[in-house]
Amino acid sequence: MNAALLIDDVRLTPILISDPPLLNTQGVHQPYTPRLVVEVVTRGGVTGVGETYGDGTYLDLARPLAEALRGHSVTDVNGLFRLADQVCGGSPAPGAQGTDARVEADGLRGVRTADKLRLSVVSGFEVACLDALGKTLGLPVHALLGGKVRDAVDFSAYLFHRWAAHPAGGEEDDWGPALDPAGIVAQARRFADEHGFCSFKLKGGVFPPDQEIAAVRALAEAFPGRPLRLDPNGAWSVETSLYVAEQLGGVLEYLEDPAACTDRMAEIAARTTVPLATNMCVTTFPEIAAAFTRGAVQVVLSDHHYWGGLYRTRELAAVCRAFGVGLSMHSNTHLGISLAAMTHVAATVPNLDYACDSHYPWQTEDVITARHVFEGGRLAVSDAPGLGVELDRERLAALHRRWLDDDGTMRERDDAAAMRRADPAWVTPAVPRW
Ligand SMILES: O=C([O-])C(=O)C[C@H](O)[C@@H](O)C(=O)[O-]
Ligand SMILES: [Mg+2]
């Protein structure tokens, strides 16, 4: 064992980053959202960085893992998963009620099991270990994953209905409101002009389906032939989903999570030719068999955070390939560390057939010294050692200070609570909403 690769220290820095008032079917994004920056420091003096969700549940799992990781090698990614099982609460015996029981259905990201929460935490540590290993060896992370099969990764513009500003303060931006089809087209034009994006995803489930159909039609008219996607996060019934699929049949690249569960997705898939994509009904390995064998989804949006890191994203890709299911990539609000990790793994997956989602253009703040720049809607794959990003410690400290100063309201992402600042009567809509 090379002693230089042993982990001497792990630093966890919870931060709050500003987020615009983006609307989804649950409510609206808060002015600030929590993220966790993970740093592993090796005996050889190299620091690797990772990033994951920063809500309290994740922090509670990350702290014991950080303690336990000292003395382990950054090469031992399999050992990292075993360690997390031991110190963050392991899987119960099959069939037993335990830590892996469904604790709650998270509105936007599918089931919320203890396993999935733990994997989301481990993903930040895995990325930090790979970054440290790559920096030590002088190799980019993609080389540690088997090597890149492309030099640049395509991303799609992520369009949101949105307000001009948060009702209760927060950072301001110059995007203005987008609350109708014309507003969505204007937003798409700016994304195309500033970043060169060629495909567009509209977050739906905000307005009645006919308005969102009109927005997608307006996009199709403004950007003829460009790939378009619509994602209402499971807000529709089977019949509404079929209606939308019929209305937008000639226009959509895929329809993402029109309805909320595998059963309904299977029913819709059986009655439409529009491909269905998901980052809600297939978000864990145990969910794959039922969905794939029933033909419920044609595209899975991977996400290294909740699938458990970069190696497991590649395992997911292999399963998708075996079943002839397409692969795309999901995104939540994230910073440049995660975007670098997404890009490295995306570069190594031969069957990543669709442009990846990314919230990054909405994020005006970052903790890295040089922001990523999209050119022609693509990110060049870095060949620098590790992830190819460097922490901006001043920014990290400032965003951590914001987290420390927060009275607790922003430390948990809660889109329904944020919506209540504008509409005190708001409750998370029951599904199906339409
Ligand atoms: O289904 C999706 O693509 C997402 O849930 C992505 C994001 O979470 C998005 O919906 C959001 O943050 O409002
Ligand atoms: Mg989605």
Side-chain angles (χ1 to χ4, degrees), residues 301-385:
L301 278 76
S302 64
D303 182 320
H304 76 269
H305 300 94
Y306 53 67
W307 284 89
L310 307 187
Y311 283 113
R312 295 210 176 184
T313 299
R314 288 179 46 80
E315 289 173 15
L316 168 66
V319 179
C320 288
R321 198 157 58 233
F323 278 85
V325 168
L327 197 69
S328 186
M329 196 179 276
H330 165 262
S331 154
N332 279 121
T333 302
H334 64 84
L335 293 173
I337 301 171
S338 274
L339 184 56
M342 291 159 70
T343 305
H344 277 278
V345 71
T348 69
V349 175
N351 54 316
L352 200 115
D353 305 316
Y354 298 92
C356 303
D357 289 356
S358 176
H359 273 251
Y360 193 67
W362 288 117
Q363 260 47 72
T364 50
E365 299 180 327
D366 208 338
V367 294
I368 58 174
T369 51
R371 271 186 78 83
H372 300 281
V373 177
F374 296 93
E375 273 176 28
R378 323 183 86 199
L379 276 189
V381 180
S382 166
D383 291 321

Coordinates of all heavy atoms in Angstrom, one line a residue, residues 301-385:
L301 N -32.4 8.8 -16.7 CA -31.5 9.9 -16.4 C -30.6 9.5 -15.2 O -31.1 9.4 -14.1 CB -32.3 11.2 -16.1 CG -32.8 12.0 -17.3 CD1 -34.0 11.3 -18.0 CD2 -33.1 13.4 -17.0
S302 N -29.4 9.3 -15.5 CA -28.5 8.9 -14.4 C -28.2 10.2 -13.6 O -28.4 11.3 -14.1 CB -27.2 8.4 -15.0 OG -26.5 9.4 -15.8
D303 N -27.7 10.0 -12.4 CA -27.3 11.1 -11.6 C -26.3 10.5 -10.6 O -26.6 9.7 -9.8 CB -28.5 11.7 -10.8 CG -28.1 12.9 -10.0 OD1 -27.0 12.9 -9.4 OD2 -28.9 13.9 -9.9
H304 N -25.0 10.9 -10.7 CA -24.0 10.2 -9.9 C -24.2 10.4 -8.4 O -23.8 9.7 -7.6 CB -22.6 10.6 -10.3 CG -22.1 12.0 -9.8 ND1 -22.3 13.1 -10.5 CD2 -21.5 12.3 -8.7 CE1 -21.8 14.1 -9.9 NE2 -21.4 13.7 -8.7
H305 N -25.0 11.5 -8.1 CA -25.2 11.7 -6.6 C -26.1 10.6 -6.1 O -25.7 9.9 -5.2 CB -25.9 13.1 -6.4 CG -25.1 14.3 -6.9 ND1 -25.3 14.8 -8.2 CD2 -24.2 15.0 -6.3 CE1 -24.5 15.8 -8.3 NE2 -23.8 15.9 -7.2
Y306 N -27.2 10.4 -6.7 CA -28.1 9.4 -6.0 C -27.9 8.0 -6.4 O -28.3 7.0 -5.8 CB -29.5 9.8 -5.9 CG -30.3 10.2 -7.1 CD1 -30.7 9.3 -8.1 CD2 -30.9 11.5 -7.1 CE1 -31.5 9.7 -9.1 CE2 -31.7 11.9 -8.2 CZ -32.0 11.0 -9.2 OH -32.8 11.3 -10.2
W307 N -27.1 7.8 -7.5 CA -26.8 6.4 -7.9 C -25.5 5.9 -7.1 O -25.2 4.7 -7.2 CB -26.6 6.2 -9.4 CG -28.0 6.2 -10.1 CD1 -28.7 7.3 -10.5 CD2 -28.8 5.0 -10.3 NE1 -29.9 6.9 -11.1 CE2 -30.0 5.5 -11.0 CE3 -28.7 3.7 -10.1 CZ2 -31.0 4.6 -11.4 CZ3 -29.7 2.8 -10.5 CH2 -30.8 3.3 -11.1
G308 N -24.8 6.8 -6.4 CA -23.7 6.4 -5.6 C -22.4 6.6 -6.2 O -21.4 5.9 -5.8
G309 N -22.2 7.6 -7.1 CA -20.9 7.9 -7.5 C -20.7 7.6 -9.0 O -21.6 7.2 -9.7
L310 N -19.4 7.7 -9.4 CA -19.1 7.6 -10.8 C -19.0 6.2 -11.3 O -19.4 5.8 -12.4 CB -17.8 8.4 -11.1 CG -17.7 9.9 -10.6 CD1 -16.4 10.6 -11.1 CD2 -18.9 10.7 -11.0
Y311 N -18.4 5.3 -10.4 CA -18.3 3.9 -10.8 C -19.7 3.3 -11.0 O -20.0 2.6 -11.9 CB -17.5 3.1 -9.8 CG -16.0 3.3 -9.9 CD1 -15.3 3.9 -8.9 CD2 -15.3 2.8 -11.0 CE1 -14.0 4.0 -9.0 CE2 -14.0 3.0 -11.1 CZ -13.3 3.6 -10.1 OH -11.9 3.8 -10.2
R312 N -20.6 3.7 -10.0 CA -22.0 3.1 -10.1 C -22.8 3.7 -11.3 O -23.7 3.0 -11.8 CB -22.7 3.3 -8.8 CG -22.0 2.5 -7.7 CD -22.9 2.0 -6.6 NE -22.1 1.1 -5.8 CZ -22.5 0.5 -4.7 NH1 -23.8 0.6 -4.5 NH2 -21.8 -0.3 -4.0
T313 N -22.4 4.9 -11.7 CA -23.1 5.5 -12.8 C -22.7 4.6 -14.1 O -23.6 4.4 -14.9 CB -22.7 6.9 -13.0 OG1 -23.1 7.7 -11.9 CG2 -23.3 7.5 -14.3
R314 N -21.5 4.2 -14.1 CA -21.1 3.3 -15.2 C -21.7 1.9 -15.1 O -22.1 1.3 -16.2 CB -19.5 3.2 -15.2 CG -18.9 4.5 -15.7 CD -17.4 4.4 -15.7 NE -16.9 3.2 -16.3 CZ -16.8 2.9 -17.7 NH1 -17.1 3.9 -18.5 NH2 -16.4 1.8 -18.1
E315 N -22.0 1.5 -13.9 CA -22.7 0.2 -13.8 C -24.2 0.4 -14.3 O -24.7 -0.5 -15.0 CB -22.7 -0.3 -12.3 CG -21.4 -0.8 -11.8 CD -21.4 -1.1 -10.3 OE1 -22.4 -1.2 -9.7 OE2 -20.2 -1.2 -9.8
L316 N -24.8 1.5 -13.9 CA -26.1 1.7 -14.4 C -26.1 1.8 -16.0 O -27.0 1.2 -16.6 CB -26.6 3.1 -13.9 CG -27.9 3.6 -14.5 CD1 -29.1 2.7 -14.3 CD2 -28.2 5.1 -14.1
A317 N -25.1 2.4 -16.5 CA -25.0 2.5 -18.0 C -24.9 1.1 -18.6 O -25.5 0.9 -19.6 CB -23.8 3.3 -18.4
A318 N -24.2 0.2 -18.0 CA -24.1 -1.1 -18.5 C -25.4 -1.9 -18.5 O -25.8 -2.6 -19.4 CB -23.0 -1.9 -17.7
V319 N -26.2 -1.7 -17.4 CA -27.5 -2.3 -17.3 C -28.4 -1.8 -18.4 O -29.1 -2.5 -19.1 CB -28.1 -2.2 -15.9 CG1 -29.5 -2.8 -15.9 CG2 -27.2 -2.7 -14.8
C320 N -28.4 -0.5 -18.6 CA -29.2 0.2 -19.6 C -28.8 -0.4 -21.0 O -29.7 -0.7 -21.8 CB -29.0 1.7 -19.6 SG -29.8 2.5 -18.2
R321 N -27.5 -0.5 -21.2 CA -27.1 -1.0 -22.5 C -27.6 -2.4 -22.7 O -28.1 -2.7 -23.8 CB -25.6 -1.0 -22.5 CG -24.9 -1.1 -23.9 CD -23.5 -0.5 -23.9 NE -22.6 -1.2 -23.0 CZ -21.9 -0.5 -22.1 NH1 -21.9 0.8 -22.0 NH2 -21.1 -1.2 -21.3
A322 N -27.6 -3.2 -21.7 CA -28.0 -4.6 -21.8 C -29.5 -4.7 -22.2 O -29.9 -5.6 -22.9 CB -27.7 -5.4 -20.5
F323 N -30.3 -3.7 -21.6 CA -31.7 -3.8 -21.9 C -32.1 -2.9 -23.1 O -33.3 -2.8 -23.3 CB -32.5 -3.3 -20.6 CG -32.6 -4.4 -19.6 CD1 -31.6 -4.6 -18.7 CD2 -33.8 -5.1 -19.5 CE1 -31.8 -5.6 -17.7 CE2 -33.9 -6.1 -18.6 CZ -32.9 -6.4 -17.7
G324 N -31.2 -2.3 -23.7 CA -31.5 -1.4 -24.8 C -32.3 -0.1 -24.4 O -33.0 0.5 -25.1
V325 N -32.1 0.3 -23.1 CA -32.7 1.5 -22.6 C -31.7 2.6 -22.7 O -30.5 2.5 -22.4 CB -33.1 1.3 -21.1 CG1 -33.5 2.6 -20.5 CG2 -34.2 0.3 -21.0
G326 N -32.1 3.8 -23.2 CA -31.2 4.9 -23.4 C -30.8 5.6 -22.1 O -31.4 5.3 -21.1
L327 N -29.7 6.4 -22.2 CA -29.2 7.0 -21.0 C -29.0 8.5 -21.2 O -28.5 8.9 -22.2 CB -27.8 6.4 -20.7 CG -27.3 6.6 -19.3 CD1 -28.1 5.8 -18.2 CD2 -25.8 6.1 -19.2
S328 N -29.5 9.2 -20.2 CA -29.3 10.7 -20.3 C -28.8 11.1 -18.9 O -28.4 10.2 -18.1 CB -30.7 11.4 -20.6 OG -30.5 12.7 -20.7
M329 N -28.7 12.3 -18.5 CA -28.2 12.7 -17.2 C -29.1 13.8 -16.5 O -29.4 14.8 -17.2 CB -26.8 13.1 -17.3 CG -26.1 13.1 -15.9 SD -24.4 13.6 -16.0 CE -23.6 12.0 -16.4
H330 N -29.4 13.5 -15.3 CA -30.3 14.4 -14.5 C -29.4 15.4 -13.7 O -28.2 15.2 -13.5 CB -31.0 13.6 -13.5 CG -31.7 14.3 -12.4 ND1 -31.1 14.4 -11.1 CD2 -32.9 14.9 -12.3 CE1 -32.0 15.0 -10.3 NE2 -33.0 15.4 -11.0
S331 N -30.0 16.5 -13.3 CA -29.3 17.5 -12.5 C -30.2 18.2 -11.5 O -31.4 18.5 -11.8 CB -28.7 18.6 -13.5 OG -28.5 19.8 -12.8
N332 N -29.7 18.4 -10.3 CA -30.3 19.3 -9.4 C -29.4 20.5 -9.3 O -28.3 20.5 -10.0 CB -30.4 18.7 -8.0 CG -31.6 17.8 -7.8 OD1 -31.4 16.6 -7.5 ND2 -32.7 18.3 -8.0
T333 N -29.8 21.5 -8.5 CA -28.9 22.6 -8.3 C -27.5 22.1 -7.8 O -27.5 21.3 -6.9 CB -29.5 23.5 -7.2 OG1 -30.8 23.9 -7.6 CG2 -28.7 24.7 -6.9
H334 N -26.5 22.5 -8.5 CA -25.1 22.0 -8.1 C -24.1 23.1 -8.6 O -24.4 24.0 -9.3 CB -24.9 20.7 -8.8 CG -24.8 20.8 -10.3 ND1 -23.7 21.1 -11.0 CD2 -25.8 20.6 -11.3 CE1 -23.9 21.1 -12.3 NE2 -25.2 20.8 -12.5
L335 N -22.9 22.8 -8.1 CA -21.8 23.7 -8.4 C -20.8 23.1 -9.4 O -21.0 22.0 -9.9 CB -21.1 24.1 -7.1 CG -22.0 25.0 -6.2 CD1 -21.3 25.2 -4.8 CD2 -22.3 26.3 -6.8
G336 N -19.7 23.8 -9.6 CA -18.7 23.4 -10.6 C -18.0 22.1 -10.2 O -17.5 21.4 -11.2
I337 N -17.9 21.7 -9.0 CA -17.3 20.4 -8.6 C -18.1 19.3 -9.2 O -17.6 18.4 -9.9 CB -17.1 20.2 -7.1 CG1 -16.3 21.4 -6.5 CG2 -16.5 18.9 -6.8 CD1 -16.3 21.4 -5.0
S338 N -19.4 19.3 -8.9 CA -20.3 18.3 -9.4 C -20.3 18.3 -11.0 O -20.4 17.2 -11.6 CB -21.7 18.3 -8.9 OG -21.7 17.7 -7.6
L339 N -20.3 19.5 -11.5 CA -20.4 19.5 -13.0 C -19.1 18.9 -13.6 O -19.2 18.2 -14.6 CB -20.5 21.0 -13.5 CG -20.7 21.1 -15.0 CD1 -21.9 20.3 -15.5 CD2 -20.8 22.6 -15.4
A340 N -18.0 19.1 -13.0 CA -16.7 18.4 -13.4 C -16.9 16.9 -13.3 O -16.6 16.2 -14.3 CB -15.5 18.9 -12.6
A341 N -17.4 16.5 -12.2 CA -17.6 15.0 -12.0 C -18.6 14.4 -13.0 O -18.3 13.4 -13.6 CB -18.1 14.7 -10.6
M342 N -19.7 15.2 -13.3 CA -20.7 14.7 -14.3 C -20.0 14.6 -15.7 O -20.2 13.6 -16.4 CB -21.8 15.7 -14.4 CG -22.7 15.8 -13.2 SD -23.7 17.3 -13.0 CE -24.8 17.2 -14.4
T343 N -19.2 15.6 -16.0 CA -18.5 15.6 -17.3 C -17.5 14.5 -17.5 O -17.5 13.8 -18.5 CB -17.9 17.0 -17.5 OG1 -18.8 18.0 -17.3 CG2 -17.3 17.1 -18.9
H344 N -16.8 14.2 -16.4 CA -15.8 13.1 -16.5 C -16.5 11.8 -16.7 O -16.1 11.0 -17.6 CB -14.9 13.0 -15.2 CG -13.8 14.0 -15.3 ND1 -12.6 13.7 -15.9 CD2 -13.6 15.2 -14.7 CE1 -11.8 14.7 -15.8 NE2 -12.4 15.7 -15.1
V345 N -17.5 11.5 -15.9 CA -18.2 10.2 -16.1 C -18.9 10.2 -17.4 O -18.9 9.1 -18.1 CB -19.1 9.8 -14.9 CG1 -20.3 10.6 -14.8 CG2 -19.4 8.3 -14.9
A346 N -19.6 11.2 -17.8 CA -20.3 11.3 -19.1 C -19.3 11.0 -20.2 O -19.7 10.3 -21.2 CB -21.0 12.6 -19.3
A347 N -18.1 11.5 -20.1 CA -17.1 11.3 -21.2 C -16.7 9.8 -21.4 O -16.3 9.4 -22.4 CB -15.9 12.1 -20.9
T348 N -17.0 9.0 -20.3 CA -16.5 7.6 -20.4 C -17.6 6.6 -20.8 O -17.3 5.4 -20.9 CB -15.9 7.1 -19.0 OG1 -17.0 7.0 -18.1 CG2 -14.9 8.1 -18.5
V349 N -18.8 7.1 -20.9 CA -20.0 6.2 -21.1 C -20.3 6.2 -22.6 O -20.9 7.2 -23.1 CB -21.2 6.6 -20.2 CG1 -22.4 5.7 -20.6 CG2 -20.8 6.5 -18.8
P350 N -20.1 5.1 -23.3 CA -20.3 5.1 -24.7 C -21.8 5.3 -25.1 O -22.1 6.0 -26.0 CB -19.9 3.7 -25.2 CG -19.2 3.1 -24.0 CD -19.5 3.8 -22.8
N351 N -22.7 4.8 -24.2 CA -24.1 4.8 -24.6 C -24.8 6.0 -23.9 O -26.1 6.0 -23.7 CB -24.8 3.5 -24.2 CG -24.7 3.1 -22.8 OD1 -23.6 3.2 -22.2 ND2 -25.7 2.7 -22.2
L352 N -24.1 7.1 -23.6 CA -24.8 8.3 -23.1 C -25.3 9.0 -24.4 O -24.5 9.8 -25.0 CB -23.9 9.1 -22.3 CG -24.7 10.1 -21.4 CD1 -24.5 9.8 -19.9 CD2 -24.3 11.5 -21.7
D353 N -26.5 8.7 -24.8 CA -26.9 9.1 -26.1 C -27.6 10.5 -26.2 O -28.0 10.9 -27.2 CB -28.0 8.1 -26.6 CG -27.4 6.7 -26.6 OD1 -26.3 6.5 -27.0 OD2 -28.2 5.8 -26.1
Y354 N -27.9 11.1 -25.0 CA -28.6 12.3 -25.0 C -27.8 13.4 -24.3 O -27.0 13.1 -23.5 CB -29.9 12.1 -24.2 CG -30.8 11.1 -24.8 CD1 -30.8 9.8 -24.4 CD2 -31.7 11.5 -25.8 CE1 -31.6 8.8 -25.0 CE2 -32.5 10.5 -26.4 CZ -32.5 9.2 -26.0 OH -33.3 8.3 -26.6
A355 N -28.1 14.7 -24.7 CA -27.4 15.8 -24.0 C -27.8 15.8 -22.5 O -29.0 15.5 -22.2 CB -27.9 17.1 -24.6
C356 N -26.9 16.1 -21.6 CA -27.1 16.0 -20.2 C -27.8 17.2 -19.7 O -27.6 18.3 -20.2 CB -25.8 15.9 -19.4 SG -24.8 14.5 -19.9
D357 N -28.6 17.1 -18.6 CA -29.2 18.2 -17.9 C -28.1 18.9 -17.1 O -27.2 18.2 -16.5 CB -30.3 17.8 -17.0 CG -31.6 17.3 -17.7 OD1 -31.6 17.4 -18.9 OD2 -32.5 16.9 -16.9
S358 N -28.2 20.2 -16.9 CA -27.4 20.8 -15.9 C -28.1 22.1 -15.4 O -28.5 22.9 -16.3 CB -26.0 21.2 -16.3 OG -25.3 21.9 -15.3
H359 N -28.2 22.3 -14.1 CA -28.7 23.6 -13.6 C -27.6 24.7 -13.6 O -27.9 25.8 -13.3 CB -29.1 23.4 -12.1 CG -30.5 22.9 -11.8 ND1 -31.4 23.7 -11.3 CD2 -31.0 21.7 -12.0 CE1 -32.6 23.0 -11.2 NE2 -32.3 21.8 -11.6
Y360 N -26.4 24.3 -13.9 CA -25.2 25.2 -13.7 C -25.4 26.6 -14.2 O -25.0 27.6 -13.5 CB -24.0 24.5 -14.3 CG -22.7 25.2 -13.9 CD1 -22.2 25.1 -12.6 CD2 -21.9 25.8 -14.8 CE1 -21.0 25.7 -12.2 CE2 -20.6 26.4 -14.4 CZ -20.2 26.3 -13.1 OH -19.0 26.9 -12.7
P361 N -25.9 26.8 -15.4 CA -26.1 28.2 -15.9 C -26.9 29.0 -15.0 O -26.9 30.3 -15.1 CB -26.7 28.0 -17.3 CG -26.3 26.6 -17.7 CD -26.3 25.8 -16.4
W362 N -27.8 28.4 -14.2 CA -28.6 29.2 -13.3 C -27.8 29.6 -12.0 O -28.3 30.5 -11.3 CB -29.8 28.4 -12.8 CG -30.9 28.2 -13.9 CD1 -31.3 27.0 -14.4 CD2 -31.7 29.2 -14.5 NE1 -32.3 27.2 -15.3 CE2 -32.5 28.6 -15.4 CE3 -31.7 30.6 -14.4 CZ2 -33.4 29.3 -16.2 CZ3 -32.6 31.3 -15.2 CH2 -33.5 30.6 -16.1
Q363 N -26.7 29.0 -11.8 CA -25.9 29.3 -10.6 C -24.9 30.4 -10.8 O -24.0 30.2 -11.6 CB -25.2 28.0 -10.1 CG -25.9 27.2 -9.0 CD -27.3 27.0 -9.2 OE1 -27.7 26.2 -10.1 NE2 -28.2 27.7 -8.4
T364 N -25.1 31.5 -10.1 CA -24.1 32.6 -10.3 C -22.9 32.5 -9.3 O -22.0 33.2 -9.5 CB -24.8 34.0 -10.1 OG1 -25.5 33.9 -8.8 CG2 -25.8 34.3 -11.2
E365 N -23.1 31.6 -8.3 CA -22.0 31.5 -7.4 C -21.3 30.1 -7.5 O -21.9 29.2 -8.0 CB -22.6 31.5 -5.9 CG -23.2 32.9 -5.7 CD -23.8 33.0 -4.3 OE1 -24.3 32.0 -3.7 OE2 -23.8 34.1 -3.8
D366 N -20.0 30.1 -7.2 CA -19.3 28.8 -7.3 C -18.2 28.8 -6.2 O -17.9 29.8 -5.7 CB -18.8 28.6 -8.7 CG -18.7 27.1 -9.0 OD1 -18.6 26.3 -8.1 OD2 -18.6 26.7 -10.2
V367 N -17.7 27.6 -6.0 CA -16.6 27.5 -5.1 C -15.3 27.1 -5.8 O -14.3 26.7 -5.2 CB -16.9 26.4 -4.0 CG1 -18.0 26.9 -3.1 CG2 -17.2 25.0 -4.6
I368 N -15.3 27.1 -7.1 CA -14.0 26.8 -7.9 C -13.5 28.1 -8.4 O -14.2 29.1 -8.6 CB -14.2 25.8 -9.0 CG1 -15.3 26.2 -10.0 CG2 -14.6 24.4 -8.3 CD1 -15.5 25.2 -11.2
T369 N -12.2 28.1 -8.7 CA -11.5 29.4 -9.1 C -11.9 29.8 -10.6 O -11.9 31.0 -10.9 CB -10.0 29.2 -9.0 OG1 -9.6 28.0 -9.7 CG2 -9.5 29.1 -7.6
A370 N -12.1 28.8 -11.4 CA -12.5 29.2 -12.8 C -13.8 28.5 -13.2 O -13.8 27.3 -13.2 CB -11.4 28.7 -13.8
R371 N -14.8 29.3 -13.5 CA -16.1 28.7 -13.9 C -16.0 27.9 -15.1 O -15.2 28.2 -16.0 CB -17.1 29.8 -14.1 CG -17.9 30.2 -12.9 CD -19.0 31.2 -13.2 NE -20.2 30.6 -13.8 CZ -21.1 30.0 -13.0 NH1 -21.0 30.0 -11.7 NH2 -22.2 29.5 -13.6
H372 N -16.8 26.8 -15.2 CA -16.9 26.1 -16.5 C -17.6 26.9 -17.5 O -18.5 27.7 -17.2 CB -17.7 24.8 -16.3 CG -17.2 23.9 -15.3 ND1 -16.2 23.0 -15.5 CD2 -17.5 23.6 -14.0 CE1 -15.9 22.3 -14.4 NE2 -16.7 22.7 -13.5
V373 N -17.1 26.8 -18.8 CA -17.7 27.5 -19.9 C -18.2 26.6 -20.9 O -17.5 25.7 -21.4 CB -16.6 28.5 -20.5 CG1 -17.2 29.2 -21.7 CG2 -16.1 29.5 -19.4
F374 N -19.5 26.7 -21.2 CA -20.1 25.9 -22.3 C -19.8 26.5 -23.6 O -20.0 27.7 -23.8 CB -21.6 25.8 -22.2 CG -22.1 25.1 -20.9 CD1 -22.4 25.8 -19.8 CD2 -22.2 23.7 -20.9 CE1 -22.8 25.2 -18.6 CE2 -22.7 23.1 -19.7 CZ -22.9 23.8 -18.6
E375 N -19.4 25.7 -24.6 CA -19.2 26.3 -25.9 C -20.0 25.4 -26.9 O -19.8 24.2 -26.9 CB -17.7 26.3 -26.3 CG -17.1 27.6 -25.8 CD -15.6 27.7 -26.0 OE1 -15.1 27.1 -27.0 OE2 -15.0 28.4 -25.2
G376 N -20.9 26.0 -27.6 CA -21.7 25.2 -28.5 C -22.5 24.2 -27.7 O -22.9 23.1 -28.2
G377 N -22.9 24.6 -26.5 CA -23.7 23.7 -25.6 C -22.9 22.5 -25.1 O -23.5 21.6 -24.5
R378 N -21.6 22.6 -25.2 CA -20.8 21.5 -24.8 C -19.7 21.9 -23.8 O -19.3 23.0 -23.8 CB -20.0 20.8 -26.0 CG -20.8 20.8 -27.3 CD -20.1 20.2 -28.4 NE -20.4 18.7 -28.3 CZ -19.6 17.8 -28.9 NH1 -18.6 18.1 -29.6 NH2 -19.9 16.5 -28.8
L379 N -19.3 20.9 -23.0 CA -18.1 21.2 -22.1 C -17.0 20.3 -22.6 O -17.2 19.1 -22.7 CB -18.4 20.8 -20.7 CG -19.2 21.8 -19.8 CD1 -19.2 21.4 -18.3 CD2 -18.5 23.2 -19.9
A380 N -15.8 20.9 -22.7 CA -14.6 20.1 -23.1 C -14.3 19.3 -21.9 O -14.4 19.7 -20.7 CB -13.5 21.1 -23.4
V381 N -13.8 18.0 -22.1 CA -13.5 17.1 -21.0 C -12.0 17.5 -20.6 O -11.1 17.4 -21.4 CB -13.6 15.7 -21.5 CG1 -13.2 14.7 -20.4 CG2 -15.0 15.4 -22.0
S382 N -11.9 17.8 -19.3 CA -10.5 18.2 -18.9 C -9.6 17.0 -18.8 O -9.9 15.9 -18.4 CB -10.7 18.8 -17.5 OG -9.4 18.9 -16.9
D383 N -8.3 17.2 -19.3 CA -7.3 16.2 -19.2 C -6.3 16.6 -18.0 O -5.3 15.9 -17.9 CB -6.5 16.1 -20.5 CG -7.4 15.4 -21.6 OD1 -8.2 14.5 -21.2 OD2 -7.3 15.9 -22.7
A384 N -6.6 17.6 -17.3 CA -5.8 17.9 -16.1 C -5.9 16.9 -15.1 O -6.9 16.1 -15.0 CB -6.2 19.3 -15.6
P385 N -4.9 16.7 -14.2 CA -5.1 15.7 -13.1 C -6.3 15.9 -12.3 O -6.7 17.0 -12.0 CB -3.8 15.9 -12.3 CG -2.8 16.6 -13.2 CD -3.7 17.4 -14.1

